[in-house]
Each structure stands twice: as C-alpha cells, then as structure tokens.
C-alpha cells in the first residue's frame, strides 16, 4: 500500500445532530483502519478538544451503530471556538495527541471552525455534511435530510387521514430555520396544497384563494406545510392570519424534534457511508480544507470557502409543482 504522511486522525460530530451521523462515523473509522491509520473520536464537538475528551476507536467500537440515529460521539455547540485564543489551545491539544488531521461531521457552522483551525494553525481538516436541513452549498444532499423528510411525511400521511375525515384544514410545521428544503420535499411528496418556505414568501391572500379554489372543486380538506422559519411556532401565526382573512379555522401540528431522531433511511446510510469513507481517503491523500459532498452520483471535494460564499438554491420548481398537482 502507498504511504501517507497521515498516521492518526480524529473524528468528531458538531452542531445539530442528524440521523446517519453514526453511519458516517462507522465508515470513517473502518476506512481509516483499512489504511492502517490510528483513529480517535472526539466526544462533544469542539468542546471535546478543549476538554481533552478523546476515545480510541477500533473496528468493534462502531459495531451495531449503522442503524442508530443521533451520534455516539455526542455533539455540542462550543462558544469558545469563536475566539482565536481557544482555537490555538485546541490546535495545541490536537498536536499533543499526535493527531494529523480531523474529520468534522456537521453543518456549515462546524466547517467554519474546521476551516479556521486549518487557516490559523495548519491542522488538516475535512468536512462531512451532516444536517437534516440540506442547506449546505456544494452537495446535493446532506446526511439526515432523507430521514427527516420521511419522518415528516409519515406524520403528514397520518394527519391527512384525520383531516379528510373531518373536512379540516391543517397547517403542519416542519423544521428548517433558514431554509425550506424539508418543507418543499415533504410538501410535494405529501400532496400539500400550499408550501411556505423561508426563501419564498407566499402571500396569505394567495394561500386563501388556493384553498377556496380547491374547495369549489369539491376538495374539503387541505394540508399546508410551513418551515419553522426564524421562529418555531410560526404555524400558529399563519393559522391566525388565515382565520382573519377567510374565517377558516386551521388546526396546527408542529413536528419539531421528532424529525431529528430515528433510524436513518437506506439513502442516508448509503450517503453517510460514502461521505465518511471519502473523507478518510481525502485526508489520507493529503487533502485538507474542504468538504466531501455529493454531486449526482459522484463524490466531490468542495473548498470550505466556496460553501460560505455561495448559497444553495431551494428549487422553486418543487413548490410550484406541488401547488399545481394539489388542485
Ligand atoms: P452547524 O455545524 O450545524 O451549522 P453551528 O452553526 O451551531 O452548527 O456550529 C457548531 C459549532 O461550530 C459552534 O458551536 C462553534 O463551536 C463552531 N463554529 C460555528 N461557527 C464558527 C465560526 N464562525 N468560527 C469558529 N467556530 C465556529
């Protein structure tokens, strides 16, 4: 086997957890061991580096986790990491452990931390996109998105049963603070009449007209999907606005954190396995400062800078199509 200057790597999960992170950890650990690398897990994101929370990882340490949601390495938000002096401490601690490079599984916030560790202290770092929101530029999909969409869809199918039985209007709030990727896919797959995504402001009047038009064609129950936007509970404001405009009494269902948990779907396990393994191969061959993403069916390396300097577009077509098909 060819030689690499990398001998010991660390794997961490950071930011919001997402189903499939464990499958990515498993893939990274086993790919690393297949290349005779030593692997440690950092427990609890960047705080784990500052608090010396390391755990050696062997083949069997990652047995029986491919199907489990959450992350065995725990995750955290670490305020200190925004300050350069703490990033220096972290870099010194990584070096003291003999760690040649890190794999950071998380969202774009976590990648900023990894990017700075590289820029300021030459710590080799590769990112793996793990967030249910799917809002990371440079990759078609992020780990956890497919599972979150399927979990939300399952809930919506159930709500549709009761909506249809009582001729009711339901507003279902899905996750997505700044992005409506979950809302768009769930809305189209769940046959929603209207989708409110943070990127595309849909006027309430238009939503009311859409529901009235559906009713005039004999449709007696409707489902509206909204992303949480900047404020969880936004669906209640929407229900009130619709009531004021139309007199319709909409029921609200907020799905919340159930969308974060659960066993990852096959698609997420495959994605996580490919990205987790790809990250090790990248580190091993001397790459740094980039995320391993998915472009069509191919793995791609995307420099960290590209990720922050671009915004991933939420395909408007899905939202428009859902509206046409719900008539
Ligand atoms: P996500 O990775 O899911 O986007 P966050 O944005 O909360 O989640 O970021 C996770 C952690 O990454 C933060 O708590 C912090 O430790 C680190 N981080 C985020 N942004 C930065 C930044 N600009 N500089 C340094 N570290 C950061």
């Amino acid at each position: 086997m060819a030689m690499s200057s990398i001998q010991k790597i660390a794997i961490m999960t950071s930011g919001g957890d997402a189903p499939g992170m464990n499958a990515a950890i498993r893939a990274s650990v086993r790919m690393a061991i297949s290349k005779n690398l030593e692997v440690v897990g950092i427990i609890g994101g960047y705080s784990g580096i500052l608090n010396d929370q390391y755990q050696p990882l062997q083949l069997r340490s990652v047995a029986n986790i491919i199907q489990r949601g959450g992350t065995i390495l725990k995750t955290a938000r670490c305020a200190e990491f925004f300050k350069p002096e703490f990033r220096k401490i972290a870099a010194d601690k990584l070096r003291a452990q003999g760690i040649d490079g890190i794999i950071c599984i998380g969202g774009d916030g976590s990648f900023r931390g990894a990017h700075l560790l590289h820029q300021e202290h030459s710590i080799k770092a590769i990112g793996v996109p793990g967030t249910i929101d799917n809002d990371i530029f440079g990759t078609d999909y992020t780990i956890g998105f497919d599972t979150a969409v399927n979990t939300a869809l399952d809930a919506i199918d159930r709500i549709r049963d009761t909506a249809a039985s009582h001729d009711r209007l339901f507003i279902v709030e899905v996750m997505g603070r700044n992005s409506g990727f979950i809302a768009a896919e769930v809305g189209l797959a769940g046959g929603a009449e209207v989708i409110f995504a943070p990127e595309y402001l849909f006027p309430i009047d238009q939503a009311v007209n859409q529901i009235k038009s559906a009713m005039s064609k004999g449709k007696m129950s409707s489902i509206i999907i909204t992303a949480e936007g900047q404020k969880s509970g936004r669906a209640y404001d929407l229900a009130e606005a619709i009531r004021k405009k139309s007199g319709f009494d909409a029921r609200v269902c907020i799905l919340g954190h159930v969308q974060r948990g659960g066993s990852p779907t096959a698609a997420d396990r495959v994605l996580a396995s490919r990205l987790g393994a790809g990250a090790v191969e990248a580190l091993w061959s001397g790459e740094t400062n980039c995320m391993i993403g998915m472009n069509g069916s191919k793995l791609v390396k995307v420099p960290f800078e590209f990720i922050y300097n671009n915004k991933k577009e939420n395909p408007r077509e899905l939202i428009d199509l859902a509206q046409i098909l719900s008539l």
Side-chain angles (χ1 to χ4, degrees):
M1 191 184 283
M3 289 299 289
S4 166
S5 63
I6 304 282
Q7 286 169 6
K8 181 172 178 180
I9 67 167
I11 302 173
M12 63 187 286
T13 47
S14 169
D17 66 313
M21 281 183 161
N22 280 328
I25 296 166
R26 170 183 178 271
S28 290
V29 169
R30 292 196 171 165
M31 177 56 87
I33 292 173
S34 82
K35 291 184 170 301
N36 295 320
L37 298 176
E38 189 181 344
V39 200
V40 293
I42 296 166
I43 308 298
Y46 290 115
S47 313
I49 304 179
L50 295 172
N51 300 325
D52 300 302
Q53 303 279 303
Y54 299 97
Q55 182 187 323
L57 295 172
Q58 326 289 351
L59 289 176
R60 297 272 73 74
S61 322
V62 290
N64 207 20
I65 64 167
I66 195 168
Q67 78 283 16
R68 281 169 53 195
T71 158
I72 60 162
L73 295 179
K74 310 275 183 179
T75 181
R77 296 204 155 86
C78 171
E80 283 104 331
F81 230 70
F82 288 89
K83 300 181 189 150
E85 60 271 30
F86 284 95
R87 293 195 293 270
K88 167 146 189 10
I89 295 172
D92 290 344
K93 283 181 179 280
L94 288 170
R95 284 211 179 84
Q97 292 283 332
I99 291 166
D100 301 311
I102 61 168
I103 291 177
C104 176
I105 306 167
D108 58 352
S110 302
F111 296 164
R112 279 177 196 264
H115 185 193
L116 289 168
L117 271 180
H118 179 263
Q119 238 177 2
E120 298 167 352
H121 306 288
S122 305
I123 297 285
K124 287 197 162 71
I126 299 283
V128 172
T131 162
I132 63 166
D133 289 337
N134 202 27
D135 57 353
I136 300 183
F137 180 85
T139 185
D140 294 345
Y141 290 105
T142 58
I143 296 167
F145 173 66
D146 187 67
T147 305
V149 165
N150 279 286
T151 303
L153 193 57
D154 182 55
I156 286 156
D157 289 346
R158 287 161 198 264
I159 288 166
R160 189 170 282 290
D161 290 344
T162 171
S165 304
H166 286 275
D167 291 344
R168 268 180 187 153
L169 171 62
F170 262 92
I171 302 178
V172 181
E173 183 177 301
V174 298
M175 277 193 155
R177 244 163 213 289
N178 302 309
S179 69
F181 289 95
I182 296 180
E185 284 223 358
V186 158
L188 180 57
E193 274 64 40
V194 181
I195 300 169
F196 287 94
E199 303 92 331
Y200 306 110
L201 295 173
F202 196 75
I204 302 280
D205 285 329
Q206 213 176 317
V208 167
N209 288 341
Q210 174 95 4
I211 295 158
K212 283 186 176 158
S213 148
M215 286 173 85
S216 72
K217 295 182 183 113
K219 193 169 201 174
M220 300 315 291
S221 68
S222 288
I223 300 229
I224 293 176
I225 303 293
T226 176
E228 63 187 340
Q230 283 308 312
K231 169 170 161 263
S232 178
R234 180 169 173 253
Y236 285 106
D237 299 341
L238 208 53
E240 183 55 20
I242 289 174
R243 196 188 57 73
K244 279 201 180 127
K245 293 258 181 209
S246 65
F248 293 145
D249 186 17
R251 303 293 158 118
V252 169
C253 175
I254 297 174
L255 299 183
H257 282 78
V258 293
Q259 294 158 96
R260 280 265 192 94
S263 183
T265 57
D268 268 332
R269 295 183 204 190
V270 170
L271 177 70
S273 299
R274 293 190 69 189
L275 296 178
V280 172
E281 292 190 303
L283 256 190
W284 190 82
S285 57
E287 306 268 356
T288 177
N289 216 20
C290 63
M291 172 192 81
I292 303 298
M294 207 61 169
N295 184 346
S297 61
K298 296 250 182 310
L299 293 187
V300 286
K301 298 182 185 87
V302 187
F304 283 143
E305 292 98 320
F306 275 33
I307 302 173
Y308 325 128
N309 295 333
N310 290 284
K311 192 169 160 39
K312 188 172 177 184
E313 286 276 316
N314 188 359
R316 172 87 206 213
E317 303 93 89
L318 296 191
I319 294 175
D320 293 341
L321 181 60
Q323 200 176 328
I324 294 167
L325 300 186
S326 72
L327 288 176

